[in-house]
Amino acid sequence: MTPQPAGPPDGGWGWVVAAAAFAVNGLSYGLLRSLGLAFPDLAEHFDRSAQDTAWISALALAVQQAASPVGSALSTRWGSRPVVMVGGVLASLGFVFSAFARSLLHLYLGLGLLAGSGWALVFAPALGTLSRYFSRRRVLAVGLALTGNGASSLLLAPALQLLLDTFGWRGALLLLGAITLHLTPCGALLLPLALPGDPPAPPRSPLAALGLGLFTRRAFSIFALGTALVGGGYFVPYVHLAPHALDRGLGGYGAALVVAVAAVGDAGARLVCGWLADQGWVPLPRLLAVFGALTGLGLWVVGLSWGGPLLAAAVAYGLSAGSYAPLVFGVLPGLVGIGGVVQATGLVMMLMSLGGLLGPPLSGFLRDETGDFTTSFLVSGSLILSGSFIYIGLPKALPSCGPASPPATPPPERGELLPAPQAVLLSPGGPRSTLDTTC
């Protein structure tokens, strides 16, 4: 038997797992974010509307996230490695099948159902496994893994446009299928890690494996409701940022540049915010609410911008959205404990699928009705602001009027959020510690 370590190693092979999660995120969400560049070609080829083509990404997002608890349950029962490897094969087959599509229904089945199912088996298990390898630097590690989204968008957006111009949308999808197959070796790097507090045996009941009992915890229920609302607007730019730039007259490569600069801001913010959150200067729920609200405001600015200012607005949106992303997953161990983090990740992804399913088609419908994406981005930003307001109900989301407890290091693994750290003020007598008593 492999002896259990005293706690998460906070490094070592964990950085290899972080690199694997980086690639998994890039080959799922990063690829899906860039896929919107192909939608104008698909709409023209099949003579369909923007709303109809938006259902491709909407279904892929919805299936990926709605089925994420299944991926978490399977990884809890059999381990993350085989589950992620099988998911990589399914996602690749979805792209290959879609390259031979004769109707939008074939794309719904290939990219939406088959590729979405493969992505459902890779993301939550990879990110949940990564959270188990880290404690003190957990949010930084998650932020590093989530930069795969922005880095992949930065590379794939112009590359996909080049593939579309050179090989057409069929050849581009076929090549993307070969690229997506690299999820399989990423899964092989997810070595299992036994930690204190883990159950002695995997849960045998399907309901227990899904982790539905986590909804009985008030803090997790508040978090889940807020995240579901945020999901209604958060994924709209993944699908319609590039078409929005095309509508603004920036052209194909100009639209790719808008996606790329948003990806740069997104990737950089994930690392910086991950480091900032791990310092413990501000409680994670408070950061979550603040950056969620900034993301909603950023979408408003994107929707109201034209031409050159749209590039600056895309950067601002990328910075805020990138700061929000690692906090969503970094706060989970404090809400449910390290033993339930894989299941909690899958459940949160399932709740966000409601927004992923409804948000992009609603955005496409509003575009068809109004003639542009301005209203779409305003509505999406409003949904994110609503979810950020719900986060205020989380523990420590608002400043406390009473003295705070001293911080604990490393974070407790029983599912309790860290107390707000003491502030150090400079005075003529030197640094002194003061309790956080501001309201």
Side-chain angles (χ1 to χ4, degrees):
M1 296 180 61
T2 304
Q4 288 187 340
D10 221 34
W13 189 259
W15 294 118
V16 178
V17 176
F22 174 93
V24 166
N25 190 46
L27 294 176
S28 55
Y29 280 109
L31 182 55
L32 192 56
R33 169 180 283 184
S34 303
L35 199 58
L37 290 169
F39 286 0
D41 290 350
L42 296 175
E44 179 181 359
H45 181 84
F46 293 108
D47 192 22
R48 303 297 287 269
S49 66
Q51 181 183 2
D52 293 332
T53 55
W55 276 102
I56 298 172
S57 291
L59 286 173
L61 278 170
V63 171
Q64 176 193 10
Q65 295 170 339
S68 285
V70 177
S72 298
L74 292 175
S75 64
T76 302
R77 183 67 180 86
W78 285 288
S80 297
R81 295 178 76 187
V83 173
V84 174
M85 294 174 73
V86 171
V89 174
L90 289 179
S92 177
L93 290 176
F95 277 91
V96 174
F97 175 80
S98 299
F100 300 95
R102 297 299 178 184
S103 68
L104 276 186
L105 177 61
H106 295 159
L107 292 173
Y108 294 157
L109 295 175
L111 293 178
L113 182 60
L114 190 54
S117 298
W119 286 332
L121 297 181
V122 302
F123 185 79
L127 211 60
T129 301
L130 175 62
S131 294
R132 293 174 56 82
Y133 269 88
F134 289 88
S135 176
R136 182 171 52 87
R137 293 178 285 187
R138 178 178 295 135
V139 186
L140 175 61
V142 171
L144 176 63
L146 293 181
T147 57
N149 186 333
S152 177
S153 298
L154 176 63
L155 296 175
L156 286 178
L160 178 55
Q161 186 63 53
L162 179 62
L163 292 177
L164 291 169
D165 292 342
T166 306
F167 302 105
W169 63 268
R170 295 187 187 276
L173 291 181
L174 195 60
L175 291 172
L176 289 178
I179 295 173
T180 306
L181 190 59
H182 288 78
L183 287 168
T184 300
C186 292
L189 299 175
L190 303 179
L191 298 182
L193 177 67
L195 293 174
D198 287 345
R204 297 188 178 276
S205 167
L207 293 180
L210 291 173
L212 298 181
L214 295 175
F215 286 108
T216 61
R217 305 189 184 190
R218 178 180 177 273
F220 181 75
S221 297
I222 293 174
F223 173 81
L225 176 60
T227 304
L229 285 173
V230 170
Y234 190 84
F235 297 105
V236 168
Y238 281 49
V239 182
H240 286 147
L241 181 58
H244 175 56
L246 291 172
D247 279 355
R248 297 306 200 201
L250 294 181
Y253 286 97
L257 179 60
V258 170
V259 175
V261 297
V264 171
D266 186 296
R270 294 181 186 218
L271 288 176
V272 173
C273 186
W275 174 85
L276 173 66
D278 282 333
Q279 305 310 305
W281 297 329
V282 182
L284 294 184
R286 197 177 305 171
L287 287 174
L288 184 68
V290 169
F291 284 115
L294 290 176
T295 302
L297 294 175
L299 281 187
W300 282 2
V301 176
V302 169
L304 297 172
S305 298
W306 291 75
L310 181 56
L311 289 173
V315 173
Y317 154 74
L319 289 172
S320 55
S323 299
Y324 168 84
L327 297 171
V328 174
F329 301 102
V331 77
L332 282 178
L335 296 175
V336 303
I338 195 65
V341 68
V342 177
Q343 295 168 317
T345 301
L347 291 174
V348 169
M349 300 297 294
M350 178 190 68
L351 291 168
M352 293 187 76
S353 71
L354 298 176
L357 177 63
L358 299 177
L362 175 61
S363 175
F365 170 77
L366 292 174
R367 194 271 180 195
D368 292 337
E369 292 295 317
T370 62
D372 59 37
F373 286 101
T374 299
T375 304
S376 301
F377 280 90
L378 292 178
V379 171
S380 300
S382 299
L383 289 172
I384 295 177
L385 286 170
S386 300
S388 301
F389 179 77
I390 298 294
Y391 287 147
I392 295 177
L394 291 173
K396 302 188 184 302
L398 293 175
S400 172
C401 293
S405 304
T409 304
E413 304 302 337
R414 60 182 181 275
E416 298 177 0
L417 284 168
L418 279 175
Q422 294 177 324
V424 178
L425 302 179
L426 295 179
S427 63
R432 59 187 178 89
S433 176
T434 62
L435 294 177
D436 178 14
T437 58
T438 58
C439 297

